[in-house]
Amino acid sequence: MMDYLFSTVLVIHILAAIGVIGLVLVQHGKGADMGAAFGSGASGSLFGATGSANFLSRTTAVLATVFFVTSLSLAYIASNKPKTTGSVMQDAVRSQAVPEPVAAGADKAGSPVNAGSKAKDIPQ
């Protein structure tokens, strides 16, 4: 249930972020208002000379509010997830200590492994 809620809020968050980016890029800066006052073609637009600015700025404000609320919601949902103990690698790899191999027949240091071999210690 929590994963479904988290996924839903995350999708809304991403869509709101893309919407805010798009609306900010479409809007004109403060210097563009001076050109519109002298008839640069903005008065013949769909929303009128000032209608588009009000519509775009209000829509941007609504999407920014949605983005802010979803950010807080995602932080709250993530902080209430059950905590796991230990590290991720500890659960992923279950290793055991490997015993050190002991050579058969080598009881004493310096003695050959095969006592019946023809190699003899030659004094120098």
Side-chain angles (χ1 to χ4, degrees), residues 48-101:
T50 58
S52 66
N54 289 335
F55 174 75
L56 290 176
S57 62
R58 285 182 185 159
T59 308
T60 305
V62 168
L63 282 179
T65 304
V66 169
F67 182 80
F68 181 71
V69 169
T70 55
S71 296
L72 292 176
S73 300
L74 286 172
Y76 179 75
I77 292 170
S79 68
N80 285 337
K81 282 189 176 181
K83 305 284 189 266
T84 58
T85 58
S87 71
V88 176
M89 293 303 293
Q90 190 175 23
D91 293 335
V93 179
R94 302 227 181 247
S95 62
Q96 297 178 355
V98 178
E100 187 175 327

Side-chain angles (χ1 to χ4, degrees), residues 18-28 60:
I18 292 171
V20 168
I21 291 169
L23 285 174
V24 167
L25 290 175
V26 167
Q27 290 181 23
H28 294 285
T60 305

